[in-house]
Structures are given as structure tokens and as C-alpha cells.
Amino acid sequence: MIRSTVRCLLLALCFSPCIVNAADARPNVIVFIADDVSWNDFGCYGNPQARTPNIDRLAAGGLRLDQAYLTASSCSPSRASMITGRYPHNNGPASELHLPIAANLPWFPERLRDAGYYTALSGKNHMSIGKLEPGQSARPKAFDLVDRGRNKNNGGGHANWVRIAKDRPRDKPFFFWYAAYDAHRAWDGDSQWDAKKYGPRHTPESVRVPKFLVDDLPTRQDLASYYNEVTRFDYFIGEVVQELAEQKVLDNTLILVLADNGRPFPRAKTRLHDSGMKTALVAHWPATIKPGEVSNSLVSAIDIAPTVLSVAGAEIPETVQGVSMLPLFTDPSATIRRYAFSEHNWHDFEAHGRSIRDGRFLFIQNNRPQFPWQGPADSVNSPSHEQLRLQRDGNKLTAAQQDVFTAPRPAEELYLVDADPDQLNNLIDDKRYAADADRLRKLLDDWSVATGDTVPDQISSDSFDRETGDRLPIAKNAFRGTPAGTQRNATTVNNPGPR
């Protein structure tokens, strides 16, 4: 385990001369976040049908992290976790979709602004601050500029990325949070397609169909439209990289590329399995990272905040539960954590699931096993899900496809990740792995206690129909219950638990 106070001080000292002597010599940072894109839908992660040349070039010129995991496969909880460096239940209401981050918790761009960085958010925000409690001060500004990144020809959130890079103050280092709406449903990339920029559209014949979906024309067309949005996201990353090169600041800019959760298809988004929770993570920083590096070390999305703050030589708040990835930039074989924890709370449907990964196993605990894990409402409304329903009604589903409808589900699941990348073979009852299950179960329990996690007595319930994906006719917010961790004041708990 590398994380320690002494090491953090040493890392900060490495960059402190830049702060004193020349503010504009400090590293710049850009975080590119795709919306609803699975880890293996970039070419550099082994998808031969994906067309992501710009991300692939960044990976070839930098570091590809092959064991990067999110803390939530749900848009706003995942983003909130990245911006605070905390587990979702430690962010208060923000552990559930569309709810705010507790007002006592700092966002890492605040510390960058305090350190003299120019900060901008362009594209999807999806993060907010909760109401102040008595005695609390208003949170300082996190971003100098907040921009939706859209125009009439581009609904993908990246319309202004290059302009912001051009118009930035040149006397300060910069931090950009560039968050696309691609590839969130409903697709607008098809209607806004520009072949001169993006190349030909993906065709139904050119996509890769996962085992848990139906391999037919409607599903393939659905996937082709999704691939189009991934390619559009990639194009605008390339435009920004070219602009940085022309400004001669690319070498001194740390670029991170990842997604907030898995693709918006059945058995992906909102899942604790790799199809929902694993993320691509590419790091490119020519001044520090050697080209063509690959790391198999475990990293978590909560590690982004301390990483960026360490790179900038800025103060890391005591509230941050993650650990800096900086050691991996010079030694990809280094170990910064032994475990990665993830959680699933309310996202359209009642849920409470937790998981732990140790690099070999994935162990899942489901505290609502009575319900199917069909995915969020936008996925249930998709052509791909409709084709699964038709196959189900005709008794034609394979075991992998049936998983979406299974209820009750196992209360616990155990998978050997390398041998079972789709996590289709649950080993929880296999006596050969009983000791591994016991070990991971105890670690997950220890983490829950240390971080103040709870299973609320009154948990948020369904607000959509699980079969059709239609909104239920209930009063606004009538489905809301108590967020996980509330009973133990988890927003005041900074203990990261085992790592």
C-alpha cells in the first residue's frame, strides 16, 4: 500500500517549485468523461469494431489502465464520487440519481482554483450542492466557467471544448472537466452526423453484440447508433488535443479519459458487474508518462481527485477517501490499492447492492434480491430490451439473456474475472472458493462499518414500471426514502475502509 501522509507530502514537494517560480509551468489537467460508455467500447480496449482513433492514440502515447472501476454505475452518483473523491453513500443524498452532494463536502476543483488554476466545466454537469445546515458556510466556487456545451448542430456537450481551450487565460494553468452527453439515450448523433468530421456511420453489420443481448437487426441498429455517439465523443477529444499541440502545451497536460457508467443497454448501466462498473481509463501526460504503458493495478474513480490535486501540488482535503494514482504514472506495476469497492443505490428502481474487487475476484452483495436487475428506465425502453422481452415471451432466451429478468436474484455472487469476463458463472456455491467468498464478505462488511454505510429501513422505491420502463403515476418524489448512510451520518465519515 503506497498511500501515506509522508508520500503525499513528497509528491507535493515535487511540484511546489513550479508554484513558487512560475505558475504557468504547473501541469494542466483535462478530464474527459463519456456518458454511458462501457469500458470495452474503445478500440484500445480490444473492440475491433469501435472507431476511436484519438483515444487510441492517447493510449498508445500514454498509459492504459486495465483495472479501473467506478463507485457507481449511475450518472450523477458516479460523477459526484469523482468530484469529491468519496464513496456515493459518503456524499449524502447524491448516492441516488439526481440528488445533491452534501454541502459540507469540498469538490476538488475548488482547491485547484484556490491554488491559482483556471477551471471550466463544459458539457454535462449533473452535480449540485445540497442545502446548507445551520453553521455551514457556502461552498466556494468550483469552476470559473460552467457551459452546457451545446448548439443547434451539436447536442453532444462538446460544441465549445476547443473554444474554451483557445479562450482560456494564458497566465494560469488550467483544469477542464469536459463531460459529453454522448452516449446517453436518446440518440441524437445519427441526426447530427457529419461524415466529413466523423467518417461513415456505423452499420448494424459492424457492431459487436454481447452474449446477453439478442443478435438481431433491431439490437444491432441500436448498438450502431450507440457506436456513432462514441465515435463523435472521440472526434472532439482529437480536436482538443490538436489545439493543445498547436498551443505547445500538450506535453505538460495530464489528460484522463473515462466514462461515468456502462452503456445504456440491458445488463450494463446500473450493474455492479464489469459491464456496468468497469471503466476505460486512459492517462496521457508526455512530460511524465512513457508511451505505450499498460497497468493492471486496481484503481477507483475516487482516486481521480487526489491524483489531480497531487499533480497540481494542491491541498488534498481530509474528506477525500481515494488515493493518488501518481505512482502508476512512473511505475505502472506499482500497487496503490488492494481493493476497489462499488455500490448501487436507487436509479429509477429500488436497489441496494455492494461489491468488492481484489483484482482476481468480484464479490457482490444484493440487499434487494427479490427484484430483477433489468437496468434503468432508458434501457428498459430501448429496442434492445424489447427484443429480449420478445425472446422471453417466446421461451427463446439463452441463460445469459435470461439474467436481465431473473427474480429473485442471488443474494451473493462471486466471479473469477479473468476466466469469466462477462460474469455469467456465479461461483458462490462452489466449495473450492468458499474461503475466498468468506474473505471478501468480511472485507465488504468491514468497509461498510468503517465508511458508515447502511441499508435504510425506508429505502427509495420504484418510480418506473420494471416491465415497460414507463413512469409510474405517483406524486412527485413520493418514491423517495432515506439515502444509504444517513443513519450513521456518513457525510461526516472520512474513513476509507480497507484499501
Side-chain angles (χ1 to χ4, degrees):
M1 186 69 61
I2 291 180
R3 171 80 170 200
S4 69
T5 303
V6 172
R7 183 161 184 88
C8 289
L9 289 171
L10 289 173
L11 291 172
L13 287 171
C14 289
F15 295 102
S16 58
C18 297
I19 298 175
V20 174
N21 298 325
D24 61 0
R26 283 180 287 166
N28 309 300
V29 182
I30 302 180
V31 177
F32 289 104
I33 304 175
D35 198 8
D36 296 6
V37 174
S38 288
W39 70 276
N40 52 356
D41 288 328
F42 295 156
C44 55
Y45 280 87
N47 187 336
Q49 282 76 39
R51 199 164 71 239
T52 54
N54 297 296
I55 297 172
D56 298 349
R57 275 192 289 271
L58 289 175
L63 172 66
R64 190 189 76 212
L65 294 120
D66 284 357
Q67 291 237 45
Y69 297 97
L70 303 163
T71 58
S73 184
S74 179
C75 303
S76 61
S78 180
R79 292 162 189 263
S81 201
M82 293 179 204
I83 207 95
T84 64
R86 294 171 65 81
Y87 292 109
H89 68 271
N90 292 112
N91 279 332
S95 64
E96 298 187 0
L97 186 70
H98 299 148
L99 292 184
I101 299 168
N104 64 299
L105 300 174
W107 299 16
F108 78 82
E110 297 171 7
R111 299 304 169 95
L112 294 175
R113 285 190 77 248
D114 289 345
Y117 273 69
Y118 175 73
T119 61
L121 182 157
S122 184
K124 185 171 184 176
N125 188 337
H126 220 39
M127 299 173 293
S128 61
I129 300 173
K131 292 182 180 179
L132 294 172
E133 299 293 334
Q136 286 182 341
S137 301
R139 292 242 51 84
K141 196 174 180 180
F143 295 101
D144 294 292
L145 172 69
V146 176
D147 163 71
R148 283 177 57 80
R150 285 173 158 165
N151 60 33
K152 65 179 182 179
N153 298 315
N154 185 344
H158 23 52
N160 300 325
W161 287 359
V162 172
R163 179 181 59 78
I164 291 170
K166 286 181 176 179
D167 294 348
R168 65 181 176 84
R170 298 303 174 98
D171 60 342
K172 293 181 176 182
F174 60 82
F175 169 74
F176 296 154
W177 179 278
Y178 279 171
Y181 294 93
D182 291 340
H184 197 288
R185 294 180 187 271
W187 318 126
D188 63 8
D190 290 352
S191 61
Q192 297 173 354
W193 194 258
D194 186 338
K196 292 182 180 178
K197 292 180 177 179
Y198 317 137
R201 286 185 177 87
H202 292 274
T203 64
E205 298 77 23
S206 68
V207 301
R208 184 168 65 177
V209 182
K211 294 178 182 178
F212 38 81
L213 297 181
V214 179
D215 191 349
D216 62 7
L217 184 58
T219 299
R220 283 182 167 272
Q221 183 57 66
D222 203 17
L223 284 164
S225 295
Y226 162 73
Y227 274 43
N228 286 342
E229 303 228 341
V230 175
T231 291
R232 183 170 66 164
F233 169 67
D234 176 84
Y235 171 82
F236 284 97
I237 290 177
E239 292 291 283
V240 174
V241 169
Q242 181 177 337
E243 175 62 27
L244 298 180
E246 291 175 359
Q247 293 182 22
K248 301 188 186 310
V249 297
L250 180 60
D251 284 357
N252 198 34
T253 300
L254 168 63
I255 294 174
L256 299 175
V257 183
L258 73 159
D260 61 356
N261 51 246
R263 67 175 79 90
F265 285 79
R267 209 183 187 274
K269 185 177 179 180
T270 73
R271 281 295 187 112
L272 286 162
H273 304 87
D274 284 5
S275 51
M277 203 65 70
K278 187 172 183 178
T279 182
L281 180 56
V282 171
H284 184 271
W285 186 14
T288 300
I289 300 173
K290 294 178 182 177
E293 297 279 23
V294 177
S295 176
N296 203 41
S297 299
L298 278 173
V299 297
S300 169
I302 59 171
D303 299 336
I304 291 172
T307 300
V308 175
L309 292 173
S310 294
V311 165
E315 178 188 4
I316 299 176
E318 63 180 2
T319 55
V320 168
Q321 294 170 308
V323 57
S324 175
M325 295 183 284
L326 200 55
L328 299 177
F329 293 172
T330 53
D331 179 8
S333 65
T335 298
I336 63 168
R337 60 167 58 250
R338 293 172 294 166
Y339 313 110
F341 296 89
S342 304
E343 56 190 85
H344 175 43
N345 303 295
W346 182 90
H347 182 133
D348 298 338
F349 303 108
E350 181 174 335
H352 191 289
R354 300 295 185 262
S355 70
I356 175 176
R357 290 173 170 84
D358 68 354
R360 185 180 180 214
F361 290 99
L362 164 62
F363 177 80
I364 295 174
Q365 234 171 34
N366 186 352
N367 294 303
R368 286 297 184 272
Q370 66 268 37
F371 298 121
W373 210 339
Q374 72 292 317
D378 60 342
S379 173
V380 175
N381 270 311
S382 71
S384 296
H385 192 93
E386 173 63 19
Q387 296 310 112
L388 285 169
R389 277 200 298 264
L390 291 173
Q391 293 289 96
R392 177 200 62 186
D393 295 345
N395 294 316
K396 297 178 180 178
L397 290 175
T398 65
Q401 294 163 350
Q402 173 61 42
D403 178 82
V404 173
F405 303 106
T406 297
R409 294 190 59 80
E412 295 183 334
E413 300 173 39
L414 180 71
Y415 299 99
L416 268 170
V417 176
D418 285 347
D420 184 16
D422 289 321
Q423 285 104 58
L424 297 173
N425 183 24
N426 185 6
L427 301 173
I428 196 64
D429 294 324
D430 191 323
K431 294 181 180 179
R432 293 176 297 173
Y433 302 104
D436 297 292
D438 287 343
R439 173 178 59 87
L440 294 171
R441 185 183 298 112
K442 183 180 185 306
L443 283 164
L444 189 58
D445 289 345
D446 291 347
W447 173 81
S448 295
V449 171
T451 60
D453 193 16
T454 61
V455 184
D457 293 331
Q458 186 178 3
I459 199 167
S460 295
S461 58
D462 293 1
S463 63
F464 291 83
D465 186 283
R466 288 180 182 258
E467 178 70 10
T468 66
D470 295 335
R471 190 177 295 274
L472 295 174
I474 54 178
K476 184 179 181 181
N477 291 328
F479 60 89
R480 291 290 187 190
T482 304
T486 302
Q487 300 97 316
R488 297 187 59 206
N489 297 315
T491 58
T492 65
V493 176
N494 298 332
N495 189 337
R499 63 184 183 193

